[in-house]
Amino acid sequence: MKTGIKSLQAHRVWDSRGNPTVEVTVDLEGGARGRAIAPAGASRGTREAVDLRDGGSRLRGLDVKAAIANVNGRIASALVGKDALDQAGVDSTLIELDGTPLKSELGGNAMVATSLAVLHAAAAGMNLPLWKYVAQTYGEEASIPLAEIQIFGGGAHAGRRVDVQDFMVMVPGAESFDEALEVTAEIYAAAGEIMARKGRSVGVADEGGWWPVFDSNEEALETLVTAIEAAGEKPGNRVVISLDIAASEFAQDGGYRLALEDRTLSSDEMIAMLGSWINSYPIASIEDPLAEDDREGMRAFTRAYGDRVQIIGDDYLVTNAGLVEAAADDGACNAVLIKVNQAGTVTESIATLSAARKAGYRGVVSARSGETEDLSISHLSIGLNAGQLKVGSFTRSERMAKWNECLRIQDEMGENAFVGGAPLANTWWGKGRNGVAS
Ligand code: 2PG
Ligand code: MG
């Protein structure tokens, strides 16, 4: 099969919030085709690759005509004729052409859709499913990840109705990915029934989790525990809780403004509050517990709780290998979220995962709050043996499509491919439970 890039074409499509985004189609000389769509975040780190948006009043300034023109013009001219199998070469061409630290010239949206579309085209050119192509190309043993699934949305994804952004569950004690989803489905439904009984069932947030009508952030946690029990599970047994605090979103003047509770915490008080939650609830993972620029806070939190919970840097590390290395030197975080559009290219994202592994950090492949039918991250999490996948909730097809794709691949690979409790074996949960399913 001839794998030279014959043509690249960008189109405007629409994401799960009804916002415009960039889709790129790549055709190879041998006839193979790859396609990918850029996702979009709402709670974004200041150091992540930026999307190119047109501004103005139409479509609230979010149109992507300039990004599309960049793909069809400068990017296509630079990439036509290049070998799609040379992902690193393609990505470094994109990076050079852009020439800015945050991809603001070509647009992170133009670059990520192009980079992923080339990866898809290469896999198609080799006649392989994407996950298998990725595993072979990057020398990984593919595995089916542990799913991190949102039950209540919050923060920037729910009109800031509560301050904390994601209240999620993981089922590391499940025997298979399928069983983990089944347990999650029961918990999601139970949480909905509890909210309905309280007269608080008013729909869902951006990622499909229940809309968070609570009087305090901790009430959401209490309700989540009740929902886990109502689903017939013992919290902390095979089901554990995962939080994305997304603290940068409510950091204010060196403190943390909990608007729902009308109080402002210092960094130390924030650490103490999260510590009391860790002591009271079966929390195995916390993402962005402190703000992206609260280096001392993140170090102190990691010193205090890093041996009990997984501490994921999202806004704090923005899928950047250099920031992961610096955090490792610093003793901040023990895991990194991998969002390809934060880095801007596939190659940089994989380099971040490698840097994480070298530092002994776990990697969690993640969707954005603005998503589409694009299934790349399901394949990447499996092919890169990442161990964990975060996609949002358990409704809405831009989310479900990604869980369903993992199910299909699990069928192909067999149940032994599921990682089970292994990725969390060193956490509070894993130590207590010995990583063994009950
Ligand atoms: C996050 C993501 C996904 P966003 O903070 O982890 O939940 O949100 O895409 O809005 O940055
Ligand atoms: Mg996050």
Side-chain angles (χ1 to χ4, degrees), residues 165 244 287 314 390:
Q165 183 181 284
D244 182 359
E287 182 177 324
D314 171 17
K390 177 188 176 198

Side-chain angles (χ1 to χ4, degrees), residues 170-174 179 183 233-234 236-240 429 433 438:
M170 292 191 272
V171 193
E179 185 181 69
V183 170
E233 298 291 330
K234 192 163 159 273
N237 203 348
R238 61 175 182 169
V239 181
V240 292
W429 176 84
R433 300 271 324 137
S438 60

